[in-house]
Amino acid sequence: AKRAGRNTHFFFNEGMREEAEQHLLVHSDILRGLNANEFELYYQPVLNVNTNKIEKCEALIRWNHPDKGRVMPDSFIPVAERTGSIVNIGNWVLQQACKDMRVFLEADIDIKISVNRSVSEFYSTKAYDTWKAIFKENGVDSHRFVFEITESLFMEQNSARMSVITSLRDIGVQFAIDDFGTGYSAINYLRNYPVDYLKIDKSFIQDLLIDEQDKTLVEVIIKMGRALGIVVIAEGVEELAQLEVLKQFECDYIQGFWLSKPQSLHHIIALCHEHTDG
Ligand code: C2E
Ligand code: CA
Ligand code: CA
Ligand code: CA
């Protein structure tokens, strides 16, 4: 016991104490910010390149902070995942996405919303009931939602977590594997846990025109998706030349700055209208 105590002391050093304190500050600031309505969802459209229709959009969280201004998710989501406030954020995101879905439908826009989910949101056995209740309270059809998760969710076989996924699929929620290609590449999970979409990570698309190996991998992922009946979405398309290569590989869906940056709900609705008007 003494030895363990000494080891603990060795590992839990001053730097870690400061980090823990910092995390706690961010944690309570997140909870305060949620209460004060400081968060907002931006949307980035996903284009079907065959029909030229915007069929989906991805919700991306922004924090309009009173002191710090616009705060991007990469600077608080990882902390929220460690402190647990990701559950509060995730529930807020789904709630807001449901409200925004009603606005899309009222504006006559037929669309699916894709929301990002962290692995740690699936730890709670209440996750399914909570999310199902959010759909119901807002009177929106769960078929209109896609949950973006990362491969790491499938890595440790956890039956409680998997039953959350199965239950959501049963009520029509679709699943996308985000950042595909950057994870563990133990693709056998695709056999046991069917998913609807693979999103090729933007790092592959960014090097598509300059790196032969990345180009080959992108082609193979698209072929594999087709063979397995999984829709492939290419993320981070910034240039027409990248789109051209993706079309050649028969990739059906793209997302990225070439089409549009993430924008406020109001702007994305205008963009969708422009798109259908030709
Ligand atoms: P992600 O899910 O991979 O989202 C795509 C990110 O790439 C977004 O950054 C988006 O703005 C950016 N992006 C889109 N198109 C392009 C492009 O053509 N070029 C480049 N260079 N970047 C592009 P953002 O909005 O800063 O989000 C960062 C990450 O934060 C997301 O990565 C996601 O992992 C996480 N995140 C965002 N919103 C949520 C949320 O509501 N819940 C959770 N759990 N995570 C979220
Ligand atoms: Ca995503
Ligand atoms: Ca991604
Ligand atoms: Ca990511």
Side-chain angles (χ1 to χ4, degrees):
K2 216 169 191 179
R3 211 181 170 77
R6 214 179 285 149
N7 280 341
T8 309
H9 185 245
F10 176 74
F11 285 114
F12 195 79
N13 58 30
E14 187 62 19
M16 289 174 79
R17 193 178 63 81
E18 272 167 27
E19 194 187 55
E21 278 172 5
Q22 184 56 34
H23 282 182
L24 222 63
L25 285 177
V26 176
H27 174 77
S28 48
D29 203 27
I30 286 171
L31 299 182
R32 184 202 54 75
L34 283 168
N35 246 328
N37 225 355
E38 289 169 5
F39 292 86
E40 183 179 2
L41 290 182
Y42 266 34
Y43 291 93
Q44 189 179 36
V46 177
L47 184 75
N48 180 332
V49 293
N50 299 314
T51 62
N52 205 34
K53 265 193 65 182
I54 294 171
E55 288 186 10
K56 311 173 211 307
C57 60
E58 177 176 2
L60 293 157
I61 197 167
R62 301 290 181 259
W63 187 357
N64 302 312
H65 196 280
D67 309 323
K68 298 176 188 158
R70 159 84 30 95
V71 183
M72 299 301 278
D74 281 337
S75 66
F76 64 89
I77 292 288
V79 179
E81 286 171 344
R82 292 181 61 176
T83 62
S85 43
I86 192 66
V87 172
N88 308 71
I89 290 177
N91 293 344
W92 178 84
V93 167
L94 192 60
Q95 177 85 30
Q96 189 60 44
C98 285
K99 289 181 186 156
D100 293 347
M101 176 57 80
R102 294 184 68 111
V103 179
F104 275 116
L105 294 176
E106 276 155 27
D108 233 359
I109 295 163
D110 178 17
I111 205 158
K112 281 190 193 241
I113 295 180
S114 213
V115 294
N116 291 284
R117 301 282 89 172
S118 296
V119 173
S120 38
E121 292 180 67
F122 289 79
Y123 290 168
S124 162
T125 47
K126 285 185 295 187
Y128 171 69
D129 291 333
T130 306
W131 292 335
K132 191 183 170 197
I134 292 174
F135 291 128
K136 196 169 175 217
E137 281 159 21
N138 286 281
V140 298
D141 185 350
S142 40
H143 285 86
R144 290 201 175 266
F145 287 83
V146 181
F147 281 12
E148 298 196 5
I149 56 179
T150 53
E151 293 168 283
S152 51
L153 187 59
F154 298 107
M155 289 308 123
E156 338 147 31
Q157 304 271 340
N158 178 306
S159 58
R161 223 168 298 162
M162 288 313 140
S163 86
V164 175
I165 297 181
T166 311
S167 305
L168 286 165
R169 284 179 63 91
D170 285 347
I171 61 166
V173 174
Q174 292 185 308
F175 281 83
I177 302 293
D178 207 355
D179 307 333
F180 187 75
T182 62
Y184 299 80
S185 305
I187 52 174
N188 61 317
Y189 68 83
L190 291 176
R191 200 169 49 187
N192 304 327
Y193 304 107
V195 298
D196 305 282
Y197 309 95
L198 293 181
K199 301 189 77 172
I200 306 179
D201 189 64
K202 54 180 178 291
S203 60
F204 292 98
I205 308 304
Q206 249 125 48
D207 291 345
L208 190 59
L209 305 170
I210 48 173
D211 187 325
E212 275 302 318
Q213 212 169 353
D214 281 2
K215 192 175 169 184
T216 304
L217 281 170
V218 167
E219 186 176 13
V220 167
I221 294 171
I222 293 166
K223 283 218 174 90
M224 181 188 76
R226 189 168 298 272
L228 294 175
I230 304 173
V231 174
V232 174
I233 301 171
E235 283 195 309
V237 177
E238 294 181 356
E239 301 168 36
L240 185 60
Q242 294 165 335
L243 174 58
E244 236 99 76
V245 175
L246 290 163
K247 272 186 174 167
Q248 194 191 307
F249 293 161
E250 294 181 25
C251 180
D252 297 330
Y253 291 87
I254 60 137
Q255 182 180 349
F257 295 167
W258 177 78
L259 178 66
S260 164
K261 293 200 167 181
Q263 301 185 55
S264 68
L265 176 67
H266 166 78
H267 281 102
I268 208 77
I269 284 179
L271 182 79
C272 288
H273 278 150
E274 269 171 44
H275 227 80
T276 40
D277 297 342

